[in-house]
Amino acid sequence: MPEEPKDLDYSLQGKTVDTTLQAPDLPYKPKDPKSYHPRIGLIACGGITESHLTAYSRAGYEVVALCDLIEERAKKRQAQFYPKATVTTDYRKVLDRDDIEVVDIATHPRERLPLIEAALRAKKHVLSQKPFVLDLAAGKHLADLADEMGVRLAVNQNGRWAPHFSYIHRAAHSGLLGDLIGVHAGVHWDHTWIMGTPFEKIRDVILYDFSIHWFDFLSHLLAGKKVTRVMASRSYAAGQDAKPPMLGQAILEFEGGQASLIFDAALKYGPVDRTYVGGTKGTIWSVADDEGGQRLTLSTAEGHAQPKLEGQWFTDGFHGTMGELLCAIEEGRQPTNNARENLNSLALCFAAIASAGTGESKVPFEVTKLPPGSAPGAD
């Protein structure tokens, strides 16, 4: 990973680029539908749904039902965000309501599968929490069922609408970077908040539950380029107290390029989060700032630019996933975060976890299930 520059003078292959350009105006922010304002039901009201509902309430989305097996959790969300919403412990009461067109299902993967199927059969549009499924075949079944029922099924890969990830995607897909050669991300932080929570029971909490954001970032960035090989490892950090391995890394090869993802999740001081994407026409890279955002630099033959991004991953990412689903319904198209497309991201993730377990490289889609023991329900 290149060192962070101390000024705006870049040296590329011995040639100094000292031209400061106006940053391209790219549509990286979440979008809302123009006139489609459906009623939404939320099934499961755990910790992460505070971010869901914060985003929805700010966007003006109408949530009319809150469901959780633990009634107190649903009532807490009701008091926080939607006092007029009904509360229930029975998801079927949400699906039976004709006035609810969209449901957000935020349980863990094992419990989520039958809920998604029931919602689709009730002809509800669905936003599924991530990671989507434990088995690619099950995911394909749900995508097929959504098509059969004439509804949309999207996955809450909220990292796509983190401002820096979204801008990088737009820059790459608009051709600013040319053919991609290198994609490298490193996240070095303290993830031990999982101790004492159900997440501590996920052996591959780093390479699976957390890193799925980065596998999805990479899959969406490559936009159909075939990843030919995945090599990965996981290990325990010195002095860690959390039960699952807190270190993980993956190297991926694709046509004409390579990618690396590095995760150090047991560092208590000085967190660092960097992303670098380079191609034949330019590069773009970002680093976390002190205010919870990211500073970006785009460099091409014409010079360099530093876009000033607005927003943060939490809660813009959650606004983006639901907003894209609603826009897709309104426009009669598939959402970009649709379930079938998300299987590509899971295929990279599953291959990495399988490689970490065997020490051998793996080919995406040859590993069709989350390897046994990786998470509850992966048998």
Side-chain angles (χ1 to χ4, degrees):
M1 189 72 66
E3 292 185 0
E4 179 183 350
K6 293 183 174 59
D7 52 40
L8 298 182
D9 190 24
Y10 292 79
S11 180
L12 302 177
Q13 298 180 345
K15 180 180 179 180
T16 300
V17 178
D18 56 6
T19 303
T20 301
L21 304 175
Q22 182 175 354
D25 185 12
L26 300 176
Y28 68 92
K29 295 182 180 180
K31 291 178 61 178
D32 293 315
K34 295 177 181 179
S35 59
Y36 179 60
H37 305 294
R39 291 184 169 184
I40 299 170
L42 174 64
I43 298 176
C45 296
I48 194 62
T49 62
E50 185 169 5
S51 295
H52 292 224
L53 296 177
T54 297
Y56 301 167
S57 60
R58 289 177 180 174
Y61 299 160
E62 186 178 8
V63 177
V64 298
L66 301 166
C67 174
D68 198 284
L69 290 174
I70 301 174
E71 188 176 27
E72 289 73 16
R73 292 200 298 204
K75 286 184 175 180
K76 179 180 179 181
R77 297 291 180 245
Q78 179 193 45
Q80 283 178 297
F81 299 103
Y82 291 96
K84 295 182 180 179
T86 60
V87 167
T88 179
T89 59
D90 186 350
Y91 74 92
R92 291 167 294 190
K93 291 184 178 180
V94 177
L95 301 184
D96 286 343
R97 286 181 56 169
D98 293 334
D99 64 321
I100 293 177
E101 298 180 40
V102 178
V103 292
D104 178 356
I105 301 179
T107 66
H108 291 287
R110 179 171 55 181
E111 298 83 7
R112 193 163 57 238
L113 192 67
L115 298 178
I116 293 176
E117 178 152 1
L120 295 175
R121 293 194 182 280
K123 295 191 175 182
K124 308 297 185 185
H125 303 288
V126 175
L127 179 65
S128 165
Q129 183 57 283
K130 62 83 199 165
F132 175 38
V133 290
L134 307 173
D135 184 329
L136 299 183
K140 182 180 182 301
H141 165 71
L142 292 175
D144 290 343
L145 181 60
D147 291 344
E148 180 185 341
M149 295 292 106
V151 294
R152 302 290 182 252
L153 172 58
V155 180
N156 195 353
Q157 290 291 170
N158 46 78
R160 287 198 191 184
W161 282 270
H164 67 299
F165 279 159
S166 184
Y167 192 94
I168 291 170
H169 281 142
R170 295 289 184 172
H173 293 165
S174 67
L176 286 172
L177 308 182
D179 291 329
L180 296 184
I181 297 171
V183 181
H184 306 287
V187 188
H188 319 281
W189 82 116
D190 183 5
H191 201 64
T192 57
W193 65 266
I194 65 170
M195 293 174 62
T197 76
F199 290 95
E200 195 174 16
K201 298 177 182 178
I202 302 175
R203 185 194 65 196
D204 284 295
V205 66
I206 300 304
L207 282 180
Y208 172 59
D209 184 78
F210 181 77
S211 299
I212 188 60
H213 290 296
W214 278 261
F215 287 116
D216 184 73
F217 166 74
L218 179 60
S219 176
H220 188 50
L221 188 69
L222 295 180
K225 277 183 178 262
K226 184 178 180 180
V227 175
T228 55
R229 188 159 62 129
V230 179
M231 297 157 284
S233 68
R234 61 169 174 262
S235 57
Y236 292 90
Q240 76 165 73
D241 295 317
K243 294 178 182 178
M246 289 284 101
L247 305 178
Q249 59 183 333
I251 298 175
L252 304 93
E253 296 177 359
F254 57 90
E255 182 181 359
Q258 62 181 359
S260 63
L261 306 175
I262 309 296
F263 304 99
D264 301 316
L267 298 172
K268 297 185 181 300
Y269 311 106
V272 174
D273 175 1
R274 299 174 186 247
T275 306
Y276 178 94
V277 180
T280 55
K281 294 182 179 180
T283 64
I284 188 168
W285 70 280
S286 69
V287 62
D289 60 27
D290 294 333
E291 298 177 354
Q294 293 265 337
R295 291 184 288 112
L296 268 68
T297 301
L298 169 67
S299 295
T300 67
E302 288 73 33
H304 63 265
Q306 293 191 310
K308 304 299 182 183
L309 303 185
E310 297 179 356
Q312 295 182 345
W313 185 335
F314 284 58
T315 59
D316 291 272
F318 299 87
H319 180 182
T321 53
M322 180 59 82
E324 171 61 11
L325 173 58
L326 300 184
C327 287
I329 297 168
E330 180 179 60
E331 297 165 15
R333 60 172 174 83
Q334 285 291 340
T336 57
N337 54 331
N338 69 81
R340 198 179 307 279
E341 187 263 0
N342 189 247
L343 299 181
N344 297 320
S345 307
L346 285 172
L348 300 183
C349 180
F350 291 178
I353 293 171
S355 174
T358 65
E360 301 173 345
S361 64
K362 298 294 180 182
V363 176
F365 286 102
E366 289 187 359
V367 180
T368 61
K369 297 182 179 182
L370 185 65
S374 299
D379 302 316

